[in-house]
Amino acid sequence: MTQEIEICEQRFTLHPSGSLYWGEKSILMISDVHLGKISHFRKFGAAVPQQAINANFNMMDAVSAYFNPERIIFLGDLFHSHLNYEWRHFEDWTSRTTAKITLINGNHDVISDSKYEALGIEVFDEHIIDDFLLTHHPEIRERFFNFCGHVHPSVKISGIGKQTLRLPCFFKKRDQMILPAFGEFTGTHTLKPQKKDEIFALADGVVIKI
C-alpha cells in the first residue's frame, strides 16, 4: 500500500520499497541501493546466500513495472564500492530497462562515470528540476525542496508494553525529504522527529504515516 503526498503543487507516491514516484514528471527516485555490497561481503567470507544478490534487482524490476516511469533517478550510492560480480547483473538490468537512467553521485560511487555513460546513464553531482534539488547528501538551499538519501533513515516506535521497533522511513522536513535506503543489507540510522516533521514508515509492504 502506497501513500500519496503533495509537495510544491506536485504529486508524489511513496512506495513500500522506499522508492518515490513523481507523477507529473513520470520520474522514479531510488536511493542507496548499494549494489555489489553482498558480493563484497561474500568475498571476505560472510555467509550471505548467493541468491540474495538478485533481491535488489528483483525489487527494481517490480517497482519499475508498478510505475512504468519514463525516467529513473538514483540518488547516490548505487554501487557500494568498486566493480565486482554484480556489475554484470547491472548491465543486464539496464539493457532490459526502457526508462532513461540518471545517477546522482554519492560517497560510495567510486566507479568511473565513463562506465555508466557507456550504458547510456547520465551522471551528476546534483540535479535541479523545477523547484526541486536532487542530491545524495541532505542539503538545504534557498528556494528549493531537496530530495536526498545517504542517511538510511529509520524511526523508533514504542509500544504499550515498552517494546520498541525501528522501521525504515521517508523523513520529511519543511524543505526536504530523505528517502530510505532501497537496498538489502544496508542498515538504518534512527532519526528523532521534530514537531513539524512528517514520518512515513515502511512495514510489511505498507507505507504508514506516523
Side-chain angles (χ1 to χ4, degrees):
M1 185 181 298
T2 60
Q3 280 273 0
E4 305 286 334
I5 63 171
E6 184 174 302
I7 303 172
C8 301
E9 300 182 348
Q10 299 287 293
R11 294 175 296 109
F12 295 89
T13 303
L14 284 59
H15 190 270
S17 65
S19 61
L20 178 74
Y21 181 68
W22 184 354
E24 285 83 357
K25 299 291 187 180
S26 189
I27 291 175
L28 180 65
M29 297 183 221
I30 298 174
S31 188
D32 296 276
V33 186
H34 288 270
L35 295 174
K37 188 171 187 177
I38 295 170
S39 293
H40 180 78
F41 283 171
R42 284 174 57 85
K43 179 181 178 181
F44 291 96
V48 183
Q50 176 74 22
Q51 59 266 31
I53 291 173
N54 295 323
N56 287 326
F57 293 101
N58 291 341
M59 182 59 72
M60 289 193 296
D61 281 337
V63 74
S64 296
Y66 183 85
F67 289 112
N68 191 27
E70 295 178 4
R71 188 178 183 189
I72 299 173
I73 300 180
F74 291 99
L75 298 179
D77 287 1
L78 175 54
F79 265 81
H80 183 69
S81 57
H82 297 279
L83 285 174
N84 61 25
Y85 173 76
E86 290 182 48
W87 181 260
R88 295 180 183 177
H89 288 264
F90 181 67
E91 288 180 319
D92 178 65
W93 182 81
T94 57
S95 71
R96 295 184 283 103
T97 302
T98 58
K100 178 181 178 181
I101 302 173
T102 298
L103 169 63
I104 309 299
N105 269 324
N107 53 293
H108 278 274
D109 291 306
V110 297
I111 296 173
S112 171
D113 291 356
S114 63
K115 295 289 290 184
Y116 291 106
E117 291 163 356
L119 300 178
I121 298 172
E122 294 180 316
V123 182
F124 300 101
D125 290 329
E126 65 177 40
H127 195 41
I128 292 174
I129 306 175
D130 298 342
D131 297 323
F132 299 91
L133 171 66
L134 279 56
T135 61
H136 177 61
H137 291 86
E139 181 172 338
I140 298 298
R141 190 176 303 175
E142 189 176 356
R143 299 191 304 276
F144 289 102
F145 187 94
N146 176 224
F147 287 115
C148 59
H150 180 63
V151 178
H152 303 196
S154 66
V155 62
K156 181 179 178 181
I157 300 173
S158 299
I160 297 175
K162 296 185 179 181
Q163 70 273 33
T164 61
L165 183 65
R166 285 179 173 81
L167 298 173
C169 67
F170 293 89
F171 197 96
K172 183 180 180 296
K173 298 177 177 291
R174 186 186 68 174
D175 297 320
Q176 183 181 79
M177 177 174 277
I178 307 173
L179 273 66
F182 186 91
E184 296 285 328
F185 302 100
T186 54
T188 61
H189 177 67
T190 304
L191 299 179
K192 186 175 181 180
Q194 301 301 308
K195 186 175 182 179
K196 294 185 178 180
D197 295 339
E198 295 180 79
I199 306 301
F200 301 88
L202 311 181
D204 296 327
V206 179
V207 181
I208 306 167
K209 186 172 183 180
I210 303 299

